[in-house]
């Protein structure tokens, strides 16, 4: 606590999970002191490379199915409310539609998660399937949301600072570095949690995508073998991709690029003339299950207590999709953690 008795809270990480958690904390506890600490911001983060399609896979999972569905529902509500607000355009949230396709496995085009939240989620008609080259036997059509992190992250960081949040650029190697300055750490450090928490369940999922300028592409298409074409805002389209577990290689693979071009051009031939803007490689922080829980560490602080941590990491390739939902959950965990520890700061906020 500071000299006024207000609680000092650190949010570790400035990707989409960290920033949505920071904003949720400020919303619920406006009189506390919040500081975001990270060594990477905005376009430097893994979040920036995301295609931004709100469509979580069944591989995304929390501690239970009910909690996972609540995270997804809360996240969709957050983004949809933001979309229709005056901040929607600046934050890069928009609505669009598209298709999932399969030539052999009907379950690939269904999503129990999206059936619960999307305004439209239905099987594709034969006529709709025929617009795509190839022998597609199964398909679904969905209206959902797109989130352009190249706008969302700067918007969220600016909003955090406008509401009194402090920002420090620093790489944290140990939680003990923060013990004397903060009452609670919100650990949204993504893949860095593998080292910070010695978490053996954390693995990187290497992804590579190609960003092109193709303003005529207004619907997403997601087919088998991690092939996707996703409008990502302002004429940028993300072509992907790959999903390589436990691969730490951040170099561009020409073989992955060739596969992406070949499969996306087969699906949408006109993309062959689209100018390429960049090739992006990132390591998605995957954990099964996603970790959102409290931990009291045996690290003393100068106030005679021990360091409290609320973890919120391991979202894999679905951090952008689900961040507002896990942020809401993490802030509720934060509230209960402090209440159980006998602190009374929250009652003052």
């Amino acid at each position: 606590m500071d000299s006024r008795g207000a609680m000092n809270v650190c949010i570790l990480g400035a990707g989409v999970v960290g920033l949505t958690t920071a904003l949720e904390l400020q919303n619920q506890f406006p009189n506390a002191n919040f500081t975001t600490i990270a060594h990477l911001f905005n376009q430097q983060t893994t979040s920036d490379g995301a295609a931004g399609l709100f469509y979580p896979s069944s591989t995304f999972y929390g501690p239970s199915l009910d909690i996972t569905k609540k995270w997804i529902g809360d996240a969709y509500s957050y983004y949809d409310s933001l979309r229709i607000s005056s901040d929607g355009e600046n934050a890069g949230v928009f609505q669009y539609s598209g298709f999932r396709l399969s030539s052999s496995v009907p379950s690939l085009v269904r999503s129990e998660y999206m059936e619960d939240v999307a305004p439209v989620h239905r099987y594709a008609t034969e006529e709709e399937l025929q617009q795509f080259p190839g022998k597609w036997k199964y398909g679904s059509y969905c209206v959902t949301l797109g989130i352009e992190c190249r706008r969302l992250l700067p918007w969220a960081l600016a909003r955090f600072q406008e509401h009194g949040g402090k920002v420090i650029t620093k790489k944290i190697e140990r939680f003990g570095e923060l013990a004397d300055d903060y009452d609670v750490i919100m650990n949204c450090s993504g893949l860095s949690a593998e080292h910070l928490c010695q978490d053996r369940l954390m693995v990187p999922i290497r992804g590579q995508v190609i960003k092109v300028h193709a303003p005529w592409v207004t619907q997403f298409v997601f087919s088998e073998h991690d092939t996707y074409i996703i409008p990502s805002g302002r004429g940028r389209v993300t072509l992907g991709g790959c999903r390589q577990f436990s691969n730490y290689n951040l170099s561009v693979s020409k073989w992955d690029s060739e596969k992406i071009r070949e499969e996306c051009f087969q699906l949408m031939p006109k993309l062959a003339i689209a100018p390429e803007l960049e090739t992006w490689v990132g390591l998605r922080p995957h954990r099964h299950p996603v970790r959102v829980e409290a931990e009291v560490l045996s690290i003393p602080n100068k106030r005679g207590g021990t360091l409290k941590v609320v973890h919120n990491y391991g979202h894999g390739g679905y951090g952008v999709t689900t961040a507002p939902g896990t942020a809401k959950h993490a802030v509720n965990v934060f509230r209960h953690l402090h209440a159980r520890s006998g602190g009374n700061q929250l009652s003052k906020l």
Side-chain angles (χ1 to χ4, degrees):
M1 290 183 293
D2 67 9
S3 58
R4 299 175 289 109
M7 188 163 42
N8 294 320
V9 181
C10 169
I11 301 95
L12 195 56
V16 67
V17 175
L19 292 180
T20 53
T21 300
L23 293 181
E24 184 67 22
L25 284 164
Q26 285 183 322
N27 181 55
Q28 292 199 34
F29 310 114
N31 295 325
N33 301 314
F34 296 109
T35 302
T36 289
I37 300 179
H39 68 291
L40 299 175
F41 292 86
N42 296 333
Q43 287 185 229
Q44 300 171 319
T45 67
T46 301
S47 300
D48 180 76
L53 172 68
F54 194 107
Y55 204 111
S57 162
S58 58
T59 60
F60 177 84
Y61 203 76
S64 72
L65 180 59
D66 286 344
I67 289 175
T68 306
K69 285 186 172 183
K70 179 167 176 48
W71 288 349
I72 293 168
D74 286 344
Y76 194 94
S77 295
Y78 174 90
Y79 283 131
D80 205 36
S81 295
L82 181 56
R83 175 182 67 87
I84 63 177
S85 74
S86 58
D87 281 329
E89 184 174 355
N90 290 333
V93 183
F94 53 95
Q95 186 180 70
Y96 61 169
S97 63
F99 297 89
R100 287 188 70 96
L101 307 173
S102 174
S103 60
S104 58
V105 184
S107 62
L108 287 180
V109 304
R110 280 203 60 198
S111 171
E112 181 180 2
Y113 293 152
M114 291 306 295
E115 288 170 356
D116 289 343
V117 299
V120 179
H121 189 280
R122 59 166 174 78
Y123 286 111
T125 65
E126 285 295 326
E127 184 179 6
E128 287 170 332
L129 291 178
Q130 289 172 7
Q131 69 181 297
F132 301 104
K135 297 179 181 180
W136 304 109
K137 294 181 180 180
Y138 311 102
S140 61
Y141 170 83
C142 183
V143 175
T144 185
L145 301 172
I147 301 99
E148 184 188 351
C149 273
R150 191 147 292 184
R151 282 193 283 178
L152 178 71
L153 296 180
W155 170 85
L157 188 62
R159 189 176 180 87
F160 175 71
Q161 292 177 294
E162 287 167 5
H163 288 80
K166 299 178 182 178
V167 175
I168 296 175
T169 302
K170 182 179 180 182
K171 185 173 179 60
I172 301 299
E173 301 288 351
R174 299 176 296 104
F175 286 127
E177 298 175 46
L178 306 170
D180 287 340
D181 296 317
Y182 301 100
D183 300 292
V184 182
I185 308 302
M186 304 297 289
N187 176 27
C188 307
S189 59
L191 193 59
S192 294
E194 180 184 15
H195 166 70
L196 280 169
C197 304
Q198 296 296 298
D199 191 339
R200 295 182 179 180
L201 297 180
M202 277 292 295
V203 296
I205 301 179
R206 180 184 177 277
Q208 181 170 316
V209 300
I210 300 172
K211 306 279 186 175
V212 302
H213 183 69
W216 63 85
V217 179
T218 58
Q219 291 186 308
F220 68 86
V221 187
F222 208 120
S223 70
E224 298 163 317
H225 315 303
D226 281 316
T227 300
Y228 50 83
I229 300 164
I230 301 175
S232 300
R234 295 180 291 184
R236 292 168 62 90
V237 177
T238 301
L239 310 183
C242 58
R243 192 183 302 264
Q244 301 164 352
F245 280 77
S246 297
N247 185 336
Y248 289 83
N249 184 11
L250 283 169
S251 299
V252 172
S253 163
K254 66 177 182 179
W255 311 114
D256 289 335
S257 292
E258 288 178 7
K259 169 186 175 291
I260 290 168
R261 292 189 190 100
E262 179 182 358
E263 295 184 351
C264 289
F265 294 173
Q266 286 177 355
L267 195 57
M268 197 174 292
K270 189 178 177 181
L271 285 170
I273 67 170
E276 292 191 6
L277 303 174
E278 63 177 314
T279 299
W280 175 91
V281 178
L283 305 181
R284 304 151 176 153
H286 175 78
R287 188 182 192 275
H288 187 83
V290 179
R291 190 181 188 189
V292 184
E293 63 182 5
E295 182 178 11
V296 179
L297 303 178
S298 56
I299 300 175
N301 57 35
K302 63 185 178 183
R303 295 171 298 284
T306 54
L307 186 63
K308 304 176 184 67
V309 180
V310 176
H311 301 289
N312 184 10
Y313 66 83
H315 299 63
Y318 304 100
V320 177
T321 293
T322 60
T326 65
K328 187 173 182 178
H329 188 159
V331 172
N332 286 335
V333 171
F334 163 76
R335 181 191 298 275
H336 293 133
L337 168 69
H338 198 72
R340 287 198 309 272
S341 68
N344 60 3
Q345 293 102 310
L346 292 186
S347 64
K348 300 176 183 178
L349 302 180

